[in-house]
């Protein structure tokens, strides 16, 4: 990429869907390419036709180092894609509550990897949106999907919401109030 950029390649060229090299590099976890593109003037807040940004892709794929680079270069942490999801929403979306119904509450720690923790912390500091409200909404939606999937609250699912609330408060360091 450095050779292409040195020979005049435009770092903001996009494909037919509006995807820029920076978005592709962020999605793929290519940190050095992200650095090169940013140095060459790539638009850190460029959007695809569906509103996706490099920050959204990096968060979705849990590339914490790239999230950090993008935020340091003024990526907007509150940008939303066409489905009204932010980078933070997509980080939370990887918390698979339905898996907890089979492995039980102890499985939550396995779902909360270190990369996700770093990303949430960075986005929490950079964002103007109420992080706790977004988390509460996501957890509420996922819990309802789980209940719907199993048809009723059973011994595995019963009380899971309170457990998740307590674990997420401990993990993230912030409280949220239910809707």
């Amino acid at each position: 990429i450095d050779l292409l950029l040195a020979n005049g390649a435009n770092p903001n060229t996009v494909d037919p869907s509006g995807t820029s090299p920076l978005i592709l590099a962020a999605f793929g976890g290519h940190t050095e390419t992200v650095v090169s593109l940013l140095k060459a003037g790539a638009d850190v807040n460029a959007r695809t036709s569906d509103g996706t940004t490099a920050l959204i892709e990096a968060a979705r794929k849990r590339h914490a180092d790239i999230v950090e680079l993008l935020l340091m270069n003024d990526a907007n942490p509150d940008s939303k894609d066409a489905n009204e999801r932010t980078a933070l929403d997509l980080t939370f979306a990887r918390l698979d509550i339905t898996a907890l119904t089979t492995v039980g509450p102890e499985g939550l720690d396995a779902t909360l990897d270190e990369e996700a923790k770093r990303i949430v912390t960075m986005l929490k500091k950079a964002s103007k949106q109420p992080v706790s409200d977004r988390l509460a909404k996501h957890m509420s939606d996922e819990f309802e999907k789980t209940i719907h999937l199993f048809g009723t609250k059973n011994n595995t699912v019963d009380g899971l919401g309170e457990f998740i609330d307590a674990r997420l408060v401990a993990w993230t360091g912030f409280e949220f109030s239910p809707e």
Side-chain angles (χ1 to χ4, degrees):
I1 191 79
D2 290 328
L3 182 61
L4 292 171
L5 293 169
N7 285 296
N10 180 353
N12 293 306
T13 300
V14 296
D15 69 12
S17 70
T19 305
S20 69
L22 183 61
I23 293 171
L24 288 173
F27 174 82
H30 304 292
T31 306
E32 290 179 23
T33 302
V34 169
V35 169
S36 294
L37 289 164
L38 289 170
K39 284 181 182 177
D43 180 357
V44 74
N45 290 304
R47 298 162 118 13
T48 64
S49 58
D50 69 357
T52 297
T53 65
L55 183 63
I56 287 172
E57 288 299 344
R60 177 194 330 260
K61 299 299 280 183
R62 291 193 176 167
H63 299 306
D65 290 339
I66 294 175
V67 168
E68 183 174 26
L69 277 169
L70 295 169
L71 288 171
M72 287 176 11
N73 283 275
D74 299 322
N76 181 353
D78 300 319
S79 288
K80 295 179 182 178
D81 67 11
N83 294 313
E84 296 295 308
R85 298 172 304 186
T86 65
L88 187 62
D89 294 327
L90 291 166
T91 303
F92 290 147
R94 297 275 310 268
L95 302 177
D96 185 4
I97 291 182
T98 56
L100 297 176
T101 60
T102 57
V103 298
E106 63 278 2
L108 185 61
D109 285 332
T111 337
L112 305 175
D113 63 48
E114 291 304 314
E115 294 295 288
K117 291 176 188 177
R118 283 185 58 211
I119 291 169
V120 169
T121 300
M122 288 184 280
L123 291 171
K124 179 180 151 187
K125 288 179 184 174
S127 180
K128 293 180 181 128
Q129 65 179 325
V131 175
S132 56
D133 291 348
R134 298 208 72 89
L135 174 60
K137 172 139 181 39
H138 172 73
M139 298 310 289
S140 172
D141 291 348
E142 288 300 309
F143 191 68
E144 284 179 27
K145 285 183 211 171
T146 302
I147 298 302
H148 178 71
L149 180 67
F150 287 90
T152 183
K153 286 189 176 186
N154 57 36
N155 289 339
T156 308
V157 177
D158 198 22
L160 188 57
E162 292 79 15
F163 171 80
I164 291 169
D165 290 352
R167 287 299 297 134
L168 287 169
V169 166
W171 169 61
T172 60
F174 57 81
E175 303 260 351
F176 59 93
S177 55
E179 295 180 337

